[in-house]
Amino acid sequence: MDAAEFRRRGREMVDYVADYLENIEERPVSSDVEPGYLRSLIPTEAPLEPDNYDDIIKDVERVIMPGITHWNSPYFYAYFPASNSYPAMLADMLCGGLGCIGFTWAASPACTELETVMLDWLGKMLKLPDHFIAGTHGRGGGVIQGTASEATLMALLAARCKTLRRIRAANSELSEGEIRSKLVAYTSEQFCATLGTTASCAFDNITELGPICNKEHVWMHIDAAYAGSAFICPEFRPLLNGIEFADSFNFNPHKWLLVNFDCSTMWVKKREDIIGAFNHWQIPLGRRFRSLKMWFVFRSYGIQGLQAYIRKVGVQLNDPPCIFSLNGTVCNDLVGSNDLNQLLLKRITNSREIHLVPCQLSGVFVLRFAICARSTDSRHIQHAWRHITQLSCELLQENH
């Protein structure tokens, strides 16, 4: 493929993606394939000679699409949002074209510097304390991780390293092994201090946890992966109160801030704690130019546009008769017993009209309803609730 064909095929791919997203609700939201379906549809070995590009594109529909769960469908209410936007997709295209491997400043200065500035922009949107903002007199700063799991692991390892140094400074006779064997990490069922749990978007009281952690020299990591995007809205910002006590903080713009996966933002109060544990800011040495999509999205929407999107998904579209939580996630024990709720979910899944996933809350099997797609509006939600209600009534009639 030369540059001329790339231009032509690139336009075709943009049209394909735009058509896919514009017409996504016409596709069944979830697949009905069986495990291993794909292997029989493609050769057992890579082609010796080049395939025709048109055949490759045809195979996207024949091979790939039957096995796709459409996360951007307005009938997708499972897991959590995996938001995207056209500016973010264009930025990812540019990232792939530039091909930067930003493992040091010298390897691509713009890659390092834009990421630092974008984390400052986002930190200021959240009104984080100055010590988290790199462009101040504070000692902290932000970095993009791949997922919240990576950020949590980074925080855990940095906390261990910092604690080892502190204890050895006061007890030089103790070996590192002796100290490690006595270290303790305090967690709840959701692992760490959480603002918006995955299961039900529940919130820990970090204004109570924070002072205790600070007093006892316990590293406090706050995970707001799910709900953190909402804190750019002034009316939701009080839910972040207590952040001043944290040693590290993380949330995922790729869930709810129109920046497509992967983009998990992490801030630390003292950057030497992270660098002291890893010599750099993340587990991988190489890194992609992920801050480009933040830059494109922030400039294309502006803070007011992003706030409007959060308010639409988090407030305006939430009017079903069930437990409401901040980011569009609602949970309901719709039928009664765990067995009946499991059967209800099976029928919902088999219908392929909408897609839900369950969770366990204090031993109760619960159906979650998370508003996920950028294109979702009230008519989609009303259709989903009518569908759930109909299946629930049928199930209750059969079991009474």
Side-chain angles (χ1 to χ4, degrees), residues 189-201:
E189 289 183 353
Q190 307 295 325
F191 189 86
C192 62
T194 307
L195 300 179
T197 61
T198 301
S200 62
C201 204

Side-chain angles (χ1 to χ4, degrees), residues 81-336:
S83 64
N84 67 15
S85 63
Y86 295 121
M89 286 184 271
L90 291 173
D92 254 358
M93 183 186 295
L94 177 58
C95 173
L98 294 175
C100 298
I101 310 295
F103 50 81
T104 64
W105 179 87
S108 222
C111 185
T112 296
E113 296 201 7
L114 185 64
E115 182 166 330
T116 301
V117 175
M118 288 302 99
L119 269 291
D120 279 3
W121 277 19
L122 185 53
K124 291 174 182 177
M125 289 186 217
L126 297 167
K127 293 182 169 50
L128 292 182
D130 282 349
H131 55 243
F132 286 115
I133 308 300
T136 66
H137 297 295
R139 297 162 61 188
V143 63
I144 300 174
Q145 307 288 354
T147 65
S149 302
E150 286 181 33
T152 301
L153 178 60
M154 289 287 292
L156 185 63
L157 296 178
R160 184 183 68 176
C161 184
K162 181 177 182 179
T163 302
L164 282 170
R165 290 198 303 267
R166 178 174 58 81
I167 295 177
R168 290 201 73 182
N171 304 272
S172 58
E173 72 281 3
L174 294 178
S175 68
E176 185 172 312
E178 289 175 303
I179 299 171
R180 284 192 179 190
S181 68
K182 297 179 180 179
L183 294 181
V184 175
Y186 295 89
T187 71
S188 69
E189 289 183 353
Q190 307 295 325
F191 189 86
C192 62
T194 307
L195 300 179
T197 61
T198 301
S200 62
C201 204
F203 282 67
D204 287 319
N205 190 337
I206 59 174
T207 58
E208 290 185 1
L209 292 173
I212 297 172
C213 291
N214 288 180
K215 179 182 177 182
E216 302 297 333
H217 303 288
V218 174
W219 181 294
M220 185 183 188
H221 176 67
I222 296 176
D223 182 346
Y226 201 173
S229 298
F231 304 151
I232 69 169
C233 296
E235 64 269 33
F236 298 139
R237 176 55 178 79
L239 293 167
L240 190 56
N241 289 348
I243 186 64
E244 64 272 14
F245 300 113
D247 294 279
S248 54
F249 167 68
N250 161 251
F251 87 96
N252 290 348
H254 66 232
K255 280 192 170 73
W256 201 14
L257 207 59
L258 299 174
V259 178
N260 51 293
F261 188 84
D262 58 340
C263 183
S264 184
T265 49
M266 178 185 186
W267 290 264
V268 292
K269 183 179 290 186
K270 295 180 181 178
R271 50 185 173 266
E272 64 263 26
D273 292 338
I274 289 286
I275 298 170
F278 297 94
N279 294 323
H280 51 286
W281 283 78
Q282 70 284 325
I283 293 173
L285 179 60
R287 56 192 302 102
R288 294 181 294 108
F289 203 165
R290 291 178 289 198
S291 58
L292 276 174
K293 53 193 174 188
M294 297 177 69
W295 193 44
F296 274 44
V297 167
F298 294 167
R299 296 184 65 186
S300 296
Y301 284 87
I303 296 174
Q304 291 182 345
L306 295 172
Q307 290 171 335
Y309 176 71
I310 294 293
R311 290 172 180 133
K312 173 195 171 188
V313 175
V315 178
Q316 295 171 17
L317 293 181
N318 279 279
D319 194 25
C322 47
I323 303 167
F324 166 67
S325 64
L326 173 68
N327 69 333
T329 301
V330 293
C331 300
N332 211 334
D333 180 11
L334 286 167
V335 175

